[in-house]
Amino acid sequence: MRYHNFAAFVFWIIGFLAFVMSLKKGFYRYQFRQFGWTHCTIILGNYGMIAGIYNNYTGQIWMAFPALLVIVNDSFAYFSGIIFGRT
């Protein structure tokens, strides 16, 4: 974990160089659009997990966990009332 950021940056540079070397004339627009969407997908897909891991390390889970318990309890009480209740 010590050199993770450096290694990730080096691999991104290698990937970017491979992208530049693979550019074909007449397909620039398509290739850059794919490059952009790939980055958007990676950023949006990974940001949630990174934020969740960070919150676990900083103890924020103890703020969200009780709220989740209340939501689950209320939901199951509602469904149990529908299935087993008399109305």
Side-chain angles (χ1 to χ4, degrees), residues 80-87:
S80 296
I82 288 176
I83 294 172
F84 301 114
R86 294 186 212 172
T87 28

Side-chain angles (χ1 to χ4, degrees), residues 9-19:
F9 178 71
V10 167
F11 286 128
W12 185 85
I13 291 295
I14 291 171
F16 182 73
L17 290 175
F19 166 74

Side-chain angles (χ1 to χ4, degrees), residues 13 19 22 33 46 54-58 67 74 79-81:
I13 291 295
F19 166 74
S22 69
R33 185 178 297 144
N46 289 330
Y54 177 76
N55 285 337
N56 283 342
Y57 282 133
T58 58
D74 289 348
F79 290 122
S80 296

